[in-house]
Structure formats: structure tokens, C-alpha cells
Amino acid sequence: MGLFGSGIIEQQEQAKLKQKPSPLRELKGGNKSSKHKEPLTPSSNLRPARTPTEVDWSSFPEGSYTRFGHGGDWWTLIKGTIAILFTWGTWLAGGLSPVWMTWLFWHGYKKTFYSILGPLLYPLLLPVPAWPGFVRFILNMAGYFEGGAAMYVENSFKGRNVNGPIMLAMHPHGIMPHSFLLNGAGRIHAQKPEVFLPPHYQDMSLKSTGVAEPLLFRIPFISAFLYFFGCAEPASKEMMHDILGRQVPFGTLVGGSEEILLMEYQKENIYILERKGFIKYALQHGYTIAIGYLFGESNLYHTITWGRKTRLALFKKFKIPLFLAWGRWFFPLLPERAAPLNAVVGNPIDLPRIANPSQADIDKYHALYIEKLTDLFERNKAAFGYSDRTLNFF
């Protein structure tokens, strides 16, 4: 499972559905059912962009989008760089905390060890309140990217109750999910709707949430990071049913860690062919699935692809994604800059409530999901400067 997403619960549901995992396979441009001659929804009048940094925002419907971090000045860039490095530092310091804490203790730095131990364990033992100021600090990372970050919500959402039972299913995950952090529920929990939310959707409730890998909530620093966001909950089976039972909007990166392992620079690789558990959950609770695509995420890091099948198999067994990725040559943790992180949300799928959906029910709506995802991507890719890209489903 990924930094954010639903990989482990998906594997549990797959076992319950008695599906036999097949070898990794790729369908370029979607699958047979997703190749359509005409879009499923009317084409928009969005003007094509020559490059991702030349999006013509004047052609987008008024009130349907919002942008931030696109100032282009040095101060905006510096704040964005600091936010990105802080995020990576949190993940690395938390993940390696058993190593460096042990080193401090055994090398005699016991005062330092004990002074750090309390703050380190606090988020693991006691409730941590949400911190809107922290969310706004992290959202500064948009300023690092040329063109900043933008969220565009299609007209298919006009008139809908956006505070009701909506599951926002987004792709791709990315190496570090920068675009999900910038275009997820954090925009709501920053508590500055006039800055971070499209004008037509500024009444979204703070009950909106998201899900993340349960293990992350047991890792020092990372757990505090997630709790401060105020919109991240463990993606365990019990918590998923709790969230869905509350009938609140929430976001998830459906591809999980499999999409980390599938990432290739400037390729749109999506892990979805065997990911069906989220469809089952949505059917059981009568949710609407909204589809989100994160343009620009695949332009951030270079990766290696050798041994992919082996690494996917190891992940399924040990739940640790093994990957090698790098961004800027002079500082590999920093992603490439020449692509804004633009999210498009649309093609909602209103699901019936079926307490015990059959495999046929799940397969039916899973196929529809892939079709709608392909449609959303194809209708919008030219407007965001990716007319030459195709979706590759795994």
C-alpha cells in the first residue's frame, strides 16, 4: 500500500472475493471496454495547451477551478522548496528513527536520546489535534512547481451535495504523492476556502477526510504529520467501514504502493485491473465515486524499471515497496519543476446500495470505473498539455 491509498484492504477484499491474482500485465490505452469512439460525457471547450506550463485557464468555466502557488517569484519558490524538503525529511527521519535513535543511545548521547523520545512517542500515545497552519505550510510546496497547483472540477458536479457520500478516487500515486497532498482534503482543512477551493465548492465541510497506510500512523514524525493534517485516517477495514458509515466525503489513491513501483518518468501507469475492493466498499454503502486524475505527477521523478515484477511480488509479501527514484540531478529528493500539478475531478458514478454485492456487481462497476477514468483522462489531457499521453493499465 502507498503513502496514501488503499492497497492492503484491497488485498484483503481480493482474497475474500476469491480472486486469483494474475501475473503483472499491461493494457496500453486502457482495455477493450474503455476504447470508445465518442466521450461518455460532452467534450468541453477547453483549449489545448502546447506544454503543461501553458494551460489556457481563460477557457475553463468560471468558478470551476482554483490555482495557487503560481506566482513565480523567488520567495514562493523558496517556501515551496522548504515544504518539499520538510515532507521528505519527515518521512526519512520517521522511517529511519529506530536506526538513529539506537545510535544515539549506544554512543552515549543519552540526554539527547531522552529529550527526543518524549516528542517522538507523543503522537503515538495521545490524541494530536489538527493544525490548519501546518496544512497551509505544506501546501506551500505548490510554489516549487512552474505553474503551481490547480484543481478543476467539471460541470458534472454542479448542483451536487459535495458534503455527502462521495469517494474521490485519484490516480496516479506518484513516488511521494505531492499532487494528492496539494489537491486532496488538505485544501479544505487549510481553512482558507477563498484561496484553496474553487468558488463553486467553497462550502465543503471539515468532515471531509482521506485514508492512508495504517503503518504510517505507527511511525514517529510521520504519524504527527498525518494527524496535523486533520484529514487522514488509517485505511484499515474497520476504519473504512466507519468512514463510509458516516457518509462523509473522503479521498483515496486507489493504486496504492503498486503505483509507486509502476511509476515511469513521463508515462501514465495506473494499477487498477485487479483493484476492486474499493468498488465493493462503495456498493455496500451506496457511495458516489468521483474520479480524479493528477496531471503532472508522472513528470516529477525518474525511476528504474528493472525487476518490477519481482519487487511487486516482494511488496505483496512484505508490504514494503522497493524502488529507486530521483528528481533534480543536484539534489535527488527535489522533484523536477517544469510541470504544474493540476487535478481534474469529474465523471461521478452513482452506485446503488447493495449490502452484499455479487462478483458480477463488482465487475460491472469496476469496468465502468475504468471506462470513466479513461474518458476523463482523454477529454482533458490536451487542455493540460499532455495530448501525446495514453493511460497504461496494469
Side-chain angles (χ1 to χ4, degrees), residues 249-319:
F250 78 99
T252 179
L253 286 163
V254 173
S257 278
E258 286 86 351
E259 281 186 356
I260 297 178
L261 299 174
L262 291 172
M263 281 298 297
E264 291 182 66
Y265 185 63
Q266 296 186 340
K267 289 190 177 182
E268 309 299 326
N269 294 342
I270 305 300
Y271 187 82
I272 191 61
L273 296 181
E274 295 177 6
R275 183 126 293 172
K276 300 182 180 182
F278 74 104
I279 298 290
K280 179 180 178 181
Y281 283 123
L283 283 169
Q284 287 175 327
H285 294 271
Y287 257 63
T288 292
I289 298 180
I291 303 174
Y293 200 83
L294 305 171
F295 287 99
E297 188 67 55
S298 60
N299 281 24
L300 304 186
Y301 290 98
H302 306 266
T303 62
I304 58 170
T305 59
W306 58 264
R308 179 189 283 166
K309 290 183 179 179
T310 300
R311 287 183 285 122
L312 279 164
L314 289 172
F315 169 73
K316 288 182 182 294
K317 185 171 183 179
F318 299 108
K319 306 297 181 284

Side-chain angles (χ1 to χ4, degrees), residues 186-302:
R187 282 177 174 258
I188 303 168
H189 288 259
Q191 297 189 26
K192 282 200 175 241
E194 70 280 5
V195 176
F196 299 113
L197 293 175
H200 290 165
Y201 304 96
Q202 291 184 359
D203 61 343
M204 292 194 71
S205 169
L206 289 174
K207 293 181 179 179
S208 302
T209 187
V211 293
E213 159 64 59
L215 177 63
L216 297 178
F217 292 86
R218 298 193 291 271
I219 300 177
F221 297 131
I222 298 176
S223 58
F225 183 103
L226 296 173
Y227 286 129
F228 285 152
F229 246 69
C231 53
E233 301 181 59
S236 63
K237 179 179 178 181
E238 294 75 16
M239 184 58 70
M240 286 293 293
H241 280 297
D242 178 70
I243 294 171
L244 292 160
R246 301 198 306 258
Q247 297 284 284
V248 297
F250 78 99
T252 179
L253 286 163
V254 173
S257 278
E258 286 86 351
E259 281 186 356
I260 297 178
L261 299 174
L262 291 172
M263 281 298 297
E264 291 182 66
Y265 185 63
Q266 296 186 340
K267 289 190 177 182
E268 309 299 326
N269 294 342
I270 305 300
Y271 187 82
I272 191 61
L273 296 181
E274 295 177 6
R275 183 126 293 172
K276 300 182 180 182
F278 74 104
I279 298 290
K280 179 180 178 181
Y281 283 123
L283 283 169
Q284 287 175 327
H285 294 271
Y287 257 63
T288 292
I289 298 180
I291 303 174
Y293 200 83
L294 305 171
F295 287 99
E297 188 67 55
S298 60
N299 281 24
L300 304 186
Y301 290 98
H302 306 266

Side-chain angles (χ1 to χ4, degrees), residues 107-122:
H107 283 76
Y109 298 97
K110 294 187 178 180
K111 288 185 179 180
T112 304
F113 174 86
Y114 287 115
S115 66
I116 295 175
L117 187 62
L120 203 66
L121 296 179
Y122 174 79

Side-chain angles (χ1 to χ4, degrees), residues 15 77 128 365:
L77 172 60
V128 178
Y365 288 105

Side-chain angles (χ1 to χ4, degrees), residues 311-347:
R311 287 183 285 122
L312 279 164
L314 289 172
F315 169 73
K316 288 182 182 294
K317 185 171 183 179
F318 299 108
K319 306 297 181 284
I320 299 175
L322 301 175
F323 63 92
L324 177 62
W326 64 97
R328 310 296 294 276
W329 65 269
F330 58 88
F331 200 92
L333 291 179
L334 286 175
E336 299 288 356
R337 288 191 61 226
L341 298 183
N342 296 325
V344 56
V345 178
N347 280 6

Side-chain angles (χ1 to χ4, degrees), residues 19-273:
Q19 295 174 324
K20 182 179 180 181
S22 61
L24 181 66
R25 54 197 173 98
E26 176 184 2
L27 294 179
K28 293 186 178 180
N31 58 15
K32 291 182 180 180
S33 67
S34 65
K35 291 182 178 179
H36 47 275
K37 294 181 180 179
E38 297 181 357
L40 296 178
T41 54
S43 295
S44 62
N45 295 317
L46 305 183
R47 297 191 186 98
R50 289 184 301 173
T51 67
T53 57
E54 297 178 280
V55 176
D56 183 1
W57 291 103
S58 66
S59 68
F60 285 71
E62 186 178 353
S64 66
Y65 71 92
T66 187
R67 303 172 65 203
F68 66 97
H70 55 286
D73 58 280
W74 279 103
W75 179 233
T76 300
L77 172 60
I78 290 170
K79 289 192 296 181
T81 304
I82 292 171
I84 289 174
L85 292 178
F86 178 87
T87 302
W88 269 115
T90 300
W91 252 251
L92 293 173
L96 296 174
S97 57
V99 176
W100 58 264
M101 286 293 285
T102 301
W103 186 91
L104 285 174
F105 185 85
W106 289 110
H107 283 76
Y109 298 97
K110 294 187 178 180
K111 288 185 179 180
T112 304
F113 174 86
Y114 287 115
S115 66
I116 295 175
L117 187 62
L120 203 66
L121 296 179
Y122 174 79
L124 306 179
L125 304 174
L126 298 170
V128 178
W131 185 4
F134 177 81
V135 180
R136 293 193 289 270
F137 164 70
I138 296 300
L139 293 183
N140 282 332
M141 72 169 62
Y144 172 85
F145 303 99
E146 293 184 22
M151 171 174 279
Y152 162 52
V153 183
E154 291 191 323
N155 285 337
S156 54
F157 269 88
K158 270 194 174 180
R160 284 179 173 266
N161 175 20
V162 293
N163 291 316
I166 296 175
M167 176 192 296
L168 177 55
M170 306 188 89
H171 301 272
H173 185 291
I175 298 300
M176 170 68 76
H178 295 298
S179 192
F180 187 68
L181 287 171
L182 290 171
N183 293 303
R187 282 177 174 258
I188 303 168
H189 288 259
Q191 297 189 26
K192 282 200 175 241
E194 70 280 5
V195 176
F196 299 113
L197 293 175
H200 290 165
Y201 304 96
Q202 291 184 359
D203 61 343
M204 292 194 71
S205 169
L206 289 174
K207 293 181 179 179
S208 302
T209 187
V211 293
E213 159 64 59
L215 177 63
L216 297 178
F217 292 86
R218 298 193 291 271
I219 300 177
F221 297 131
I222 298 176
S223 58
F225 183 103
L226 296 173
Y227 286 129
F228 285 152
F229 246 69
C231 53
E233 301 181 59
S236 63
K237 179 179 178 181
E238 294 75 16
M239 184 58 70
M240 286 293 293
H241 280 297
D242 178 70
I243 294 171
L244 292 160
R246 301 198 306 258
Q247 297 284 284
V248 297
F250 78 99
T252 179
L253 286 163
V254 173
S257 278
E258 286 86 351
E259 281 186 356
I260 297 178
L261 299 174
L262 291 172
M263 281 298 297
E264 291 182 66
Y265 185 63
Q266 296 186 340
K267 289 190 177 182
E268 309 299 326
N269 294 342
I270 305 300
Y271 187 82
I272 191 61
L273 296 181

